[in-house]
Amino acid sequence: MSAAGSPTTAGLDGKTAIVAGASRGIGLAAAKALAAGGATVVVTSRRAEAAQQAAEQVGADAIGVAAHATDEAAARSCVDTVLQRFGRLDILVNNAATNPAFGPMIAQDHARFTKTIDVNLWAPLLWTSLATTAWMGEHGGSVINTASIGGLSHEAGIGVYNTTKAALIYLTKQLALELSPRVRVNAVAPGLVRTKMAEALWKGHEPQVAERTALGRIGEPGDIAAAITFLASDAASWITGEVLVIDGGQHLGDARGYRS
């Protein structure tokens, strides 16, 4: 139902979206899904070439912008470019992430810890602040943060990454309150998805991971993109501050003992 109480669809015609961190994986899939839903999409990547290549995959109306997620000047320039070219900014997907800190938490150095915090936590706050100040605060909008089921549990080796995702979930809920009622802020929490970033967790032993998962497979970027598109749309107009877990049932535990 829409805010007015009438039925609505997930159509995004006439809306403009920024997908930060969209050169591949979940970000690229989300950009494609938003464009397929009718939105005009702006994709960002650290490198101009990667951003342009992603835009070409998204569609003829998409544009690519070089912007490192933590570079405030680049982020501000991207938002300004969107408003100058399209006149509105309705959807922001904060998807940029990094995971340079592997191993026990106490073994991490300050540089790796800081980089992970900056990209995974500060960048979503930065981009949301810019989008809200420039457009959404007055006209409304939807922000979707890419968190992780790691932010809801504990796992050896990626404690720093998971800590940032747990903090991003908190940030999502805090911003949902602070920016209400005009701006909706939600998050998706993917499980193990077939992306290059998560490759070490599935490549070479995918059948074993799939067998343990309730729905019998690891995730695909499109699985997450579909949820992002829903949260961006008016079909989710009464949803804010929520974290949508999309993991095929991985958080439920090992499914092998329940199969005949």
Side-chain angles (χ1 to χ4, degrees):
M1 302 293 287
S2 70
S6 58
T8 186
T9 69
L12 301 173
D13 292 341
K15 295 188 177 183
T16 300
I18 291 177
V19 183
S23 62
R24 63 190 185 191
I26 291 171
L28 180 56
K32 290 179 178 178
L34 291 168
T40 300
V41 181
V42 177
V43 299
T44 79
S45 180
R46 288 175 296 174
R47 297 183 297 109
E49 181 182 5
Q52 182 56 38
Q53 289 175 349
E56 290 171 359
Q57 295 179 65
V58 171
D61 295 330
I63 64 171
V65 175
H68 191 288
T70 62
D71 185 334
E72 183 170 352
R76 190 181 301 277
S77 176
C78 179
V79 170
D80 289 345
T81 296
V82 169
L83 292 178
Q84 290 167 8
R85 183 157 179 174
F86 303 111
R88 59 189 302 146
L89 174 53
D90 307 280
I91 301 160
L92 171 64
V93 180
N94 289 310
N95 181 69
T98 190
N99 187 20
F102 293 94
M105 293 279 283
I106 61 172
Q108 305 308 316
D109 59 41
H110 186 250
R112 284 180 291 183
F113 186 86
T114 302
K115 180 179 180 180
T116 312
I117 288 284
D118 281 352
V119 175
N120 295 358
L121 188 61
W122 164 246
L125 177 58
L126 169 65
W127 285 77
T128 302
S129 174
L130 293 172
T132 299
T133 301
W135 175 266
M136 291 185 180
E138 181 178 354
H139 303 281
S142 176
V143 176
I144 302 99
N145 297 320
T146 303
S148 168
I149 59 169
L152 299 167
S153 60
H154 305 87
E155 189 175 356
I158 55 174
V160 174
Y161 175 83
N162 285 350
T163 296
T164 64
K165 293 302 185 177
L168 181 58
I169 289 169
Y170 182 94
L171 178 67
T172 297
K173 293 177 179 292
Q174 182 70 25
L175 288 175
L177 274 173
E178 291 187 6
L179 302 182
S180 64
R182 292 191 179 276
V183 183
R184 296 187 299 107
V185 187
N186 292 289
V188 292
L192 185 55
V193 176
R194 193 192 309 278
T195 64
K196 186 171 181 60
M197 183 175 177
E199 202 171 55
L201 300 176
W202 60 267
K203 193 169 185 179
H205 51 275
E206 182 180 338
Q208 292 83 357
V209 176
E211 188 179 7
R212 293 195 301 268
T213 301
L215 294 186
R217 64 176 176 86
I218 68 170
E220 301 291 347
D223 294 320
I224 316 305
I228 289 172
T229 302
F230 164 69
L231 289 172
S233 74
D234 289 343
S237 65
W238 209 46
I239 301 175
T240 195
E242 292 302 318
V243 181
L244 180 54
V245 174
I246 312 123
D247 70 347
Q250 289 169 352
H251 71 286
L252 299 173
D254 194 330
R256 287 175 295 183
Y258 298 90
R259 296 195 174 113
S260 57

